[in-house]
């Protein structure tokens, strides 16, 4: 009797494990599907100045993005690179987005590139998409939330255009091809 | 001073010789007898001039003289003196030979050679010592005589001899041309050859004459003659004409027919092989035209098949046909339809020559590859699939049974009749069992989907073109295609056909509620290929008709709504003018324009376009000029048009000078255009990845494009596309890295 149970147990455990793994794959599959759909929508929509694409064909969860500064703001004519990391349980959890190129902005940490944007934290909802995030980020450049600054310096000089512009230009690095590959 | 011993030795020798010659006769009477015998024998053997009167020899006496010599063992001495005599008299023969050769070289007539040979034979006979004198003597004579002849025959003799043989052969095969040289007809000629050893010495020359003769005959009789089997005729010719001649050089000394047959067997089969080879070479050279002439040329193909079994020239045939195809078929000047027709003929012809299909496989490969590159191949195949009663030239043989498409088959090793692949099959050779032509054509492409798509486009065009409501022909076509492609892929076509019949039914119902002069065709957008989209607005009463019909439709089918494709279809108009009524069947755009003229009499083109909607200027002008031609409108100087309420007599017949020639666009978007649409989507993706990832190599772009739904292009296609984008200045490339041009 003992022999039978011992011989059965590992098998049972193994099957349980594989069942779990299977469920994981399934959810990963639906996330992949959602991400492909978002990519398709983003590509076909012609929103000016925003764009994003998976970094490699093997991993759909890491994207690189580009945001052009909107006209009539301090950031006009500048282009910023961002990175987007989708968690495995996306879209129930917000993606992690960081500025890759230094961005002097009240809500952006100049060193780490971390962004303080409500919809990326507590206000996240599954109905948002990469496209909506990118549009929000683009408008954030022109209209910062000076009440919760990550970059206090930027927040302080926001209202004095000349000073702000000087700081911005000091930190800004125009895009080159080196960031690629 | 000779020693005693020497003296003694000489004395013994002398005694021996004396005894041998004297043969123990008393005194020297033996010696005398010997001397007499020697004289008779030497005189008998002496090589005489041909013209000299033959001396009267007593056979008995000569024989006894030789007997004496044999007894004395002096025959070798006699032989030596005979050879020496021959050598001294050789100049007689040399003189004759030179004379005849000079004659031949002057006239080029093989008759001279023939006479020379007969003459030499005479010499031979005259000098021959006679067989009864023993083998040693005659064989020594033959060797010496032949050596001498061969040494004096000039180089020109070989050529002359060849011509002589050819003349005998010609005489034998074409007796009608009997006016040959006299010596050629002499039956002694061949015996003379044999006598003089020429037959053995020039054996290869004789054979080559025969080969040449066969070649000429084959070329003469068979070139361009494909409509009857030639091989059997050639073989008959060989048996009737050449074999009797062959008996002369090759069947010498045969006493019975049976013996002759065995003697001729080897050489006969060599010649038969040569017949096959020559015919095979000829047909290989002609193969392309033979295929064009198929099926009239099928006897030639059966000949070729038989020849190939005898002569192993399959690789040459493949090479020749591939070369010809490349030169004559696979070039931009050839029509796709012609290429397809020829390809189908090639399939049929090579199946005759080589049923297992190895040759076909080798020949077809470049054609198939070429066809794949042509943009309109699928369309041509599909057009031929849909059998059209009017245009009879279909690729498909009507007698061929309609059968489902066959995919590549796997060998069935349980099959008791299984045969291994032919020996010259390449490694990638697939045994495709004799399948029908359509299967072979469809298999040019890897998937059937492309065909189905093109089929839908074609069907849409044809359905929309039908005006009398008779869809039976299309229904029949679809049923046939269902057998070929299976039910599932043709479901869409089924829906399209159903739409057409449904439209009529719905129209009948709508008409029963409110009579309308409009009979629309209602199609299910998702099942039809993209139609040319154009958003023209119908003005005036035309719009009212549309709207009232749409209302009625919505009451009939509350869950559905009509979306008009106003630019398709045709409108029958009666235009009532002040002095006349013009009746015309016109496209919707023309109707829309003329409807606007009921509002005011004069419009500029721009005004008209503004009212009707997005139409390009050429199309608009074309529509207006159609009315000008009908005498309803008149073109004014300031690019405006005026309605002619009263017929303009003077200008009515004036052909409009500014007539725009434009081909009617088909209503359905072709597969090519659809692909262009798709490529736009892919371009967005490429743009997206290059924006965010910087510059990328081509293969990276290719793999990244798998994110784009439905991407199925090859790297080569992508490369061509990127190259096109580069020419338009959208991207740049440096060291294989593609980059957006910003």
């Amino acid at each position: 009797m003992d022999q039978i149970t011992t011989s059965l147990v590992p098998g049972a455990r193994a099957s349980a494990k594989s069942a779990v793994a299977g469920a994981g794959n399934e959810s990963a599959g639906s996330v992949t599907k959602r991400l492909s759909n978002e990519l398709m929508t983003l590509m076909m929509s012609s929103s000016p100045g925003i764009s994003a694409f998976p970094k490699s064909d093997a991993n759909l969860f890491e994207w690189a993005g580009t945001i052009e500064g909107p006209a009539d703001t301090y950031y006009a004519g500048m282009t910023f690179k961002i990175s987007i990391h989708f968690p495995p349980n996306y879209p129930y959890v917000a993606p992690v987005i960081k500025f890759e190129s230094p961005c002097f902005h009240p809500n952006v940490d100049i060193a780490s590139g971390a962004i303080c944007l409500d919809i990326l934290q507590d206000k996240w909802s599954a109905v948002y998409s990469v496209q909506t995030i990118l549009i929000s980020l683009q408008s954030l450049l022109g209209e910062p939330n000076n009440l919760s600054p990550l970059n206090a310096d930027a927040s302080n000089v926001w209202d004095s255009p000349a000073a702000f512009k000087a700081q911005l230009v000091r930190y800004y690095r125009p895009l080159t091809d080196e960031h690629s590959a | 001073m000779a020693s005693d011993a020497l003296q003694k030795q000489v004395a013994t020798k002398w005694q021996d010789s004396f005894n041998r010659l004297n043969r123990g006769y008393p005194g020297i009477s033996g010696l005398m007898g010997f001397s007499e015998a020697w004289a008779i024998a030497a005189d008998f053997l002496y090589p005489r001039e041909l013209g000299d009167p033959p001396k009267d020899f007593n056979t008995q006496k000569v024989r006894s003289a030789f007997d004496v010599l044999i007894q004395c063992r002096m025959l070798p001495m006699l032989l030596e003196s005979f050879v020496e005599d021959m050598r001294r008299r050789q100049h007689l023969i040399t003189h004759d030979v030179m004379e005849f050769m000079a004659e031949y070289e002057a006239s080029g007539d093989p008759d001279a050679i023939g006479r020379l040979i007969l003459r030499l034979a005479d010499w031979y006979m005259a000098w021959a010592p006679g067989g009864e004198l023993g083998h040693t003597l005659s064989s020594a004579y033959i060797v010496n005589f032949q050596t001498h002849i061969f040494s004096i025959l000039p180089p020109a003799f070989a050529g002359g001899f060849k011509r002589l043989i050819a003349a005998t052969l010609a005489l034998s095969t074409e007796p009608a041309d009997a006016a040959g040289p006299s010596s050629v007809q002499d039956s002694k000629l061949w015996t003379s050859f044999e006598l003089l050893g020429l037959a053995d010495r020039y054996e290869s020359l004789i054979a080559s004459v025969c080969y040449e003769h066969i070649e000429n005959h084959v070329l003469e009789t068979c070139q361009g003659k494909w409509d009857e089997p030639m091989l059997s005729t050639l073989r008959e010719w060989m048996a009737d004409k050449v074999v009797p001649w062959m008996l002369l050089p090759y069947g010498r000394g045969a006493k019975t027919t049976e013996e002759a047959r065995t003697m001729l067997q080897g050489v006969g089969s060599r010649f038969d092989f040569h017949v096959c080879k020559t015919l095979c070479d000829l047909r290989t050279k002609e193969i392309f035209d033979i295929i064009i002439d198929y099926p009239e040329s099928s006897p030639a193909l059966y000949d070729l098949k038989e020849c190939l079994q005898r002569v192993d020239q399959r690789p040459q045939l493949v090479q020749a046909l591939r070369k010809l195809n490349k030169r004559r078929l696979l070039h931009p000047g050839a029509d796709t339809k012609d290429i397809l027709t020829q390809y189908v003929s090639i399939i049929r012809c090579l199946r005759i020559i080589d049923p297992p299909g190895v040759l076909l496989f080798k020949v077809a490969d470049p054609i198939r590859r070429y066809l794949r590159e042509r943009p309109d191949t699928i369309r041509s195949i599909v057009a031929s699939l849909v059998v059209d009663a009017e245009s009879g030239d279909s690729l498909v043989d009507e007698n061929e049974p309609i059968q489902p498409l066959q995919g590549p088959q796997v060998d069935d090793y349980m099959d008791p009749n299984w045969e291994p692949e032919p020996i010259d099959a390449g490694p990638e050779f697939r045994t495709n069992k004799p399948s029908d032509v359509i299967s072979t054509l469809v298999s040019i492409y890897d998937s059937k989907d492309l065909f189905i798509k093109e089929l839908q486009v074609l069907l849409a065009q044809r359905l929309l073109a039908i005006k009398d409501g008779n869809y039976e022909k299309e229904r029949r076509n679809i049923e046939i295609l269902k057998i070929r492609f299976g039910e599932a892929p043709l479901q869409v076509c089924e829906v399209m056909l159903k739409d057409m019949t449904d439209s009529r039914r719905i129209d009948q119902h709508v008409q029963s509620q409110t009579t309308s002069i409009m009979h629309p065709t209602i199609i299910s957008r998702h099942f039809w290929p993209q139609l040319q989209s154009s958003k023209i607005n119908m003005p005036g009463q035309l719009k009212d008709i549309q709207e009232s019909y749409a209302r009625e439709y919505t009451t009939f089918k509350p869950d559905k709504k009509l979306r008009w494709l106003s630019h398709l279809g045709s409108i029958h108009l009666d235009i009532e003018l002040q002095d006349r009524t013009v009746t015309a069947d016109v496209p919707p755009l023309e109707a829309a324009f003329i409807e606007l003229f009921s509002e005011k009499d004069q419009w500029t083109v721009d005004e008209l376009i503004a009212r009707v909607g997005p139409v390009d200027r050429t199309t608009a002008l074309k529509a207006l000029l159609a009315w000008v031609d009908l005498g309803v409108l008149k073109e004014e100087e300031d690019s405006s048009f005026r309605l002619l309420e009263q017929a303009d007599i003077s200008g009515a017949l004036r052909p409009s000078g500014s007539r725009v020639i434009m081909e009617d666009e088909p209503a359905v978007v072709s597969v090519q255009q659809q692909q262009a649409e798709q490529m736009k989507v892919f371009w967005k993706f490429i743009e997206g990845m290059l924006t965010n990832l910087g510059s990328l190599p081509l293969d990276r772009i290719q793999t990244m494009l798998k994110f784009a739904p439905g991407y199925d292009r090859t790297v080569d296609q992508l490369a061509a596309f990127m190259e096109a984008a580069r020419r338009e200045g959208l991207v740049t490339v440096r060291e294989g890295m593609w980059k957006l041009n910003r």
Side-chain angles (χ1 to χ4, degrees), chain B residues 296-397:
Chain B
E296 277 74 29
S297 60
S298 50
L301 293 166
Y302 283 107
D303 277 354
L304 185 57
K305 179 186 179 183
E306 209 177 328
C307 290
L308 281 175
Q309 280 166 356
R310 186 110 167 69
V311 189
D312 186 29
Q313 294 204 335
R314 288 155 64 98
Q316 282 89 322
L317 178 68
V318 168
Q319 231 166 17
L321 188 52
R322 281 177 75 134
K323 207 191 248 170
L324 284 168
N325 278 338
K326 193 159 181 247
R327 191 160 59 82
R328 295 182 56 178
L329 195 63
L330 307 180
H331 56 77
D335 201 23
T336 306
K337 199 160 165 39
D338 293 341
I339 299 180
L340 281 172
T341 318
Q342 181 73 354
Y343 177 40
V344 169
S345 295
I346 289 175
I347 293 174
R348 297 214 169 103
C349 293
L350 291 187
R351 282 227 179 282
I352 291 179
I353 297 174
D354 172 54
V358 180
L359 295 187
L360 177 61
F361 182 78
K362 290 182 176 172
V363 172
D365 202 41
I367 306 178
R368 292 166 71 89
R369 244 180 299 138
Y370 184 80
L371 280 173
R372 254 195 297 261
E373 282 166 15
R374 283 230 166 180
D376 57 341
T377 303
I378 296 188
R379 205 173 314 143
S380 302
I381 296 174
V382 168
S384 69
L385 277 180
V386 180
V387 186
D388 211 335
E390 293 96 67
S391 64
D393 49 40
S394 153
L395 291 176
V396 192
D397 188 357

Side-chain angles (χ1 to χ4, degrees), chain A residues 51 55 60 66 81 177 180, chain B residues 692-693 700 706-707 739:
Chain A
S51 174
K55 282 180 181 165
L60 202 51
T66 314
K81 295 254 88 163
D177 278 334
S180 66
Chain B
N692 294 296
L693 307 176
R700 197 70 198 288
K706 78 168 196 196
F707 288 127
K739 188 169 166 294

Side-chain angles (χ1 to χ4, degrees), chain A:
Chain A
M1 194 63 201
D2 272 354
Q3 279 177 332
I4 294 169
T5 35
T6 45
S7 65
L8 277 176
V9 166
R13 199 180 289 155
S15 72
K17 207 186 259 174
S18 73
V20 169
N25 282 343
E26 203 177 296
S27 73
S30 74
V31 178
T32 314
K33 193 155 176 251
R34 154 109 186 196
L35 287 173
S36 328
N37 282 340
E38 286 198 17
L39 180 62
M40 182 71 187
T41 328
L42 183 63
M43 287 300 114
M44 295 321 288
S45 77
S46 38
S47 326
I50 58 162
S51 174
F53 208 81
K55 282 180 181 165
S56 85
D57 56 306
N59 186 2
L60 202 51
F61 290 82
E62 295 287 346
W63 290 24
T66 314
I67 297 178
E68 285 171 24
D72 307 326
T73 65
Y74 297 132
Y75 301 92
M78 294 180 176
T79 307
F80 298 95
K81 295 254 88 163
I82 57 168
S83 72
I84 309 172
H85 170 76
F86 294 95
N89 45 358
Y90 180 82
Y92 303 108
V93 174
V96 180
I97 302 186
K98 282 198 293 193
F99 271 88
E100 291 289 303
S101 29
C103 175
F104 187 75
H105 185 276
N107 300 109
V108 178
D109 183 41
I110 194 77
S112 69
I115 303 165
C116 176
L117 180 61
D118 52 357
I119 64 161
L120 289 179
Q121 276 98 30
D122 48 337
K123 294 274 179 63
W124 170 253
S125 150
V127 299
Y128 291 136
S129 66
V130 184
Q131 195 185 357
T132 51
I133 295 168
L134 289 175
I135 292 173
S136 307
L137 277 179
Q138 197 182 23
S139 60
L140 181 73
L141 290 178
E143 299 149 16
N145 180 1
N146 282 319
L147 296 179
S148 57
L150 271 180
N151 184 339
D153 292 347
S155 175
N156 292 336
V157 292
W158 177 261
D159 291 323
S160 46
F164 189 89
K165 190 82 184 170
Q167 287 289 341
L168 178 61
V169 172
R170 193 161 70 83
Y171 284 107
Y172 179 70
R173 284 208 312 272
L175 288 186
T176 54
D177 278 334
E178 271 68 64
H179 64 270
S180 66

Side-chain angles (χ1 to χ4, degrees), chain B residues 65-356:
Chain B
F66 273 97
D67 280 345
V68 170
L69 292 178
I70 290 167
Q71 266 182 3
C72 303
R73 287 181 283 163
M74 286 304 283
L75 212 52
M77 296 298 291
L78 181 66
L79 194 62
E80 240 169 68
S81 94
F82 171 54
V83 169
E84 182 58 27
D85 282 344
M86 260 174 76
R87 201 182 56 71
R88 278 198 212 121
R89 304 280 288 170
Q90 260 171 15
H91 63 93
L92 294 172
I93 298 180
T94 314
H95 175 74
D96 261 7
V97 168
M98 288 312 154
E99 220 162 68
F100 279 112
M101 282 316 293
E103 186 190 334
Y104 167 71
E105 266 162 43
S107 66
D109 186 1
D111 185 39
I113 302 287
R115 277 183 285 116
L116 165 65
I117 285 164
L118 290 176
R119 179 80 170 177
L120 283 173
D122 286 347
W123 280 110
Y124 178 85
M125 297 306 282
W127 288 9
E132 67 269 24
L133 295 182
H135 180 69
T136 336
L137 198 60
S138 55
S139 67
Y141 166 70
I142 291 171
V143 169
N144 276 291
F145 190 82
Q146 288 184 355
T147 313
H148 173 61
I149 290 179
F150 296 154
S151 72
I152 57 170
L153 284 176
F157 177 76
F161 185 71
K162 199 171 165 185
R163 291 178 67 174
L164 178 66
I165 302 284
T168 63
L169 185 56
L171 187 72
S172 160
T173 53
E174 283 138 39
D177 185 24
S182 53
S183 68
V184 169
Q185 292 173 31
D186 199 326
S187 55
K188 278 199 309 214
L189 196 62
W190 285 98
T191 353
S192 312
F193 290 160
E194 177 68 11
L195 222 49
L196 300 172
L198 290 170
D200 289 330
R201 188 176 162 87
Y202 290 112
E203 193 174 7
S204 60
L205 205 116
I206 295 173
S208 81
V209 166
C210 199
Y211 286 151
E212 267 170 36
H213 190 73
I214 290 173
E215 274 162 31
N216 290 338
H217 181 77
V218 170
L219 285 182
E220 213 170 275
T221 51
C222 302
Q223 196 156 30
K225 201 163 170 59
W226 304 322
D227 53 352
E228 53 185 273
M230 293 311 291
L231 192 59
S232 53
T233 324
L234 285 175
R235 283 192 166 142
E236 267 168 37
W237 171 80
M238 284 291 288
D240 289 351
K241 307 284 163 108
V242 182
V243 169
W245 174 84
M246 273 162 59
L247 279 170
L248 297 172
Y250 296 105
R252 294 183 305 259
K255 286 174 190 72
T256 61
T257 5
E258 210 41 52
E259 212 179 333
R261 188 163 303 151
T262 35
M263 286 175 83
L264 286 182
Q265 213 160 36
V267 65
S269 105
R270 270 212 320 271
F271 285 154
D272 184 58
F273 178 88
H274 198 72
V275 169
C276 289
K277 183 173 151 40
T278 315
L279 187 62
C280 188
D281 285 346
L282 178 68
R283 292 293 184 242
T284 303
K285 218 164 34 181
E286 296 173 329
I287 186 73
F288 192 84
D289 295 296
I290 291 179
I291 292 173
I292 290 178
D293 267 20
Y294 182 84
E296 277 74 29
S297 60
S298 50
L301 293 166
Y302 283 107
D303 277 354
L304 185 57
K305 179 186 179 183
E306 209 177 328
C307 290
L308 281 175
Q309 280 166 356
R310 186 110 167 69
V311 189
D312 186 29
Q313 294 204 335
R314 288 155 64 98
Q316 282 89 322
L317 178 68
V318 168
Q319 231 166 17
L321 188 52
R322 281 177 75 134
K323 207 191 248 170
L324 284 168
N325 278 338
K326 193 159 181 247
R327 191 160 59 82
R328 295 182 56 178
L329 195 63
L330 307 180
H331 56 77
D335 201 23
T336 306
K337 199 160 165 39
D338 293 341
I339 299 180
L340 281 172
T341 318
Q342 181 73 354
Y343 177 40
V344 169
S345 295
I346 289 175
I347 293 174
R348 297 214 169 103
C349 293
L350 291 187
R351 282 227 179 282
I352 291 179
I353 297 174
D354 172 54

Side-chain angles (χ1 to χ4, degrees), chain B residues 2-44:
Chain B
S3 69
D4 280 356
L6 187 63
Q7 268 183 11
K8 201 171 172 190
Q9 209 173 355
V10 169
T12 322
K13 282 267 179 205
W14 170 262
Q15 196 57 43
D16 275 356
S17 305
F18 177 79
N19 284 344
R20 201 171 67 215
L21 294 179
N22 203 23
R23 289 156 294 153
Y25 283 93
I28 57 161
S29 62
L31 213 55
M32 296 298 286
F34 166 76
S35 163
E36 195 182 339
W38 177 272
I40 291 173
D43 191 33
F44 175 74

Side-chain angles (χ1 to χ4, degrees), chain B residues 499 502-511 514 516 518-525 536 542-566:
Chain B
D499 274 348
D502 279 0
S503 298
R504 289 182 73 77
R505 213 164 37 75
I506 293 168
D507 187 47
Q508 268 163 17
H509 176 85
V510 173
Q511 298 286 353
T514 350
S516 167
M518 185 164 70
H519 303 282
T521 301
I522 300 154
I523 61 174
S524 324
R525 185 161 64 94
I536 64 169
L542 298 171
K543 195 181 178 69
D544 298 341
I545 296 169
Q546 274 186 345
E547 274 169 0
S548 77
Y549 196 99
R551 261 198 307 282
E552 204 53 55
Y553 180 81
T554 316
T555 38
F556 179 48
K557 292 197 183 258
D559 53 335
K560 287 184 183 154
K561 195 170 161 291
L562 287 179
R563 187 178 299 172
W564 296 100
L565 293 167
S566 304

